């Protein structure tokens, strides 16, 4: 049976000047994992509106399971305005008071959590306490051995060190980029060699650091693994980190060794940069 890989948190539309594309780190993660042979599922909340219905249709077209996505009677489906600089690097305007930020704990979520082989959560785009609390319960309900991945996504200015540290305590894999590493290290007082210090302090199996076109680094208890970036013509880097995490983790839960999964993660994330949007449909990478 294919490992069940769940993304919980943001499911939203990224609004580009030319149109909208489905996004949200946990959703991007679930999509790429399902492309790579896992049973990918999203747990989130959409509005009872055309964008919400379209999001669910789109997930189903993409082969991502969405049975535990809730429909909010009041709040609209999430949207984020994406502005790309000439190098394809985005700035996000995250629109507040949206459905995914009001995710409720339900028996259906307990069931979704219980069957998970890996869970990715990246809810630091969240302002509201409800989704954060639901994610915490979801992680608690995960079976033993389930790999829990925390994607820091530290883009907004309303994160507190307490929140980041609380999430670090309930994950096995930490994924961050080079802008986030010094901030997280600072929040956690992890000096010296921050990757190893964070890994050790929080008992993590793996810390993954992405360095954009320069590649990525994995830190485990056994040491450090580096992978250069694949040279590509960058169009849009949105979702590249999510694809990286998805390929890495789906490789691991499918039994690949770390260097193999790492190489595949580097190739997929480079490929995603050559397309607009976080969920390009082809898997020609
Ligand atoms: O943080 C919000 C933004 O981050 C992404 O999930 C990419 O990682 C986008 O799809 C979304 O708009």
């Amino acid at each position: 049976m294919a490992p069940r890989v769940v993304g919980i948190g943001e499911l939203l539309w990224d609004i580009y000047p030319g149109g909208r594309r489905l996004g949200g780190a946990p959703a991007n993660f679930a999509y790429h994992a399902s492309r790579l042979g896992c049973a990918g599922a999203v747990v989130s909340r959409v509005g009872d509106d055309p964008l919400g219905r379209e999001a669910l249709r789109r997930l189903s077209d993409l082969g991502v399971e969405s049975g535990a996505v809730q429909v909010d009677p009041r709040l609209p489906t999430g949207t984020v305005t994406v502005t790309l600089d000439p190098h394809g690097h985005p700035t996000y305007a995250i629109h507040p008071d949206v459905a995914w930020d009001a995710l409720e704990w339900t028996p259906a979520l307990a069931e979704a959590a219980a069957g998970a082989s890996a869970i990715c959560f990246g809810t630091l785009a969240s302002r509201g306490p409800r989704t954060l609390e639901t994610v915490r319960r979801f992680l608690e309900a995960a079976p033993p051995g389930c790999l829990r991945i925390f994607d820091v996504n530290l883009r907004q200015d309303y994160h507190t060190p307490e929140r980041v540290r609380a999430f670090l305590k309930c994950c096995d894999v930490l994924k961050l980029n080079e802008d986030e590493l010094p901030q997280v290290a600072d929040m956690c007082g992890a000096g010296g060699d921050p990757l190893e210090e964070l890994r050790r302090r929080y008992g993590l199996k793996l810390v993954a650091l992405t360095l954009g076109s320069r590649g990525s680094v994995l830190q485990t208890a056994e040491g450090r693994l580096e992978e250069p970036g694949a040279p590509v013509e960058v169009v849009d880097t949105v979702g590249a980190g999510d694809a990286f995490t998805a390929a890495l983790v789906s490789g691991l839960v499918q039994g690949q060794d770390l260097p193999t999964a790492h190489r595949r993660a580097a190739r997929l994330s480079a490929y995603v940069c050559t397309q607009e949007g976080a969920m390009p449909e082809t898997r020609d990478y």
Side-chain angles (χ1 to χ4, degrees), residues 88-102:
H89 295 292
T91 304
Y92 300 107
I94 300 179
H95 305 173
D97 303 321
V98 291
W100 70 258
D101 208 3

Side-chain angles (χ1 to χ4, degrees), residues 17-32:
R20 58 174 174 267
R21 296 186 178 275
L22 200 58
N28 301 337
F29 170 84
Y31 163 72
H32 286 289

Side-chain angles (χ1 to χ4, degrees), residues 10 12 14 22-25 28 80 82 92 94 125 153 155 238-239 242 278:
E10 305 92 288
L12 47 84
D14 283 324
L22 200 58
N28 301 337
V80 170
V82 179
Y92 300 107
I94 300 179
N153 267 337
R155 300 194 187 108
V238 172
D242 308 330

Side-chain angles (χ1 to χ4, degrees), residues 197-218:
E197 184 59 24
L198 285 167
R199 193 205 61 74
R200 204 189 45 75
R201 189 172 292 197
Y202 290 94
L204 305 174
K205 291 202 169 83
L206 179 64
V207 181
L209 172 69
T210 53
L211 302 166
S213 61
R214 300 199 322 285
S216 51
V217 176
L218 304 183

Side-chain angles (χ1 to χ4, degrees), residues 39-63:
V42 174
V43 174
S44 187
R45 192 168 170 104
V46 293
D48 186 8
D49 51 25
L51 283 186
R53 286 184 280 280
E54 196 185 328
L56 297 181
R57 263 199 312 276
R58 182 100 187 101
L59 286 175
S60 143
D61 290 348
L62 294 170

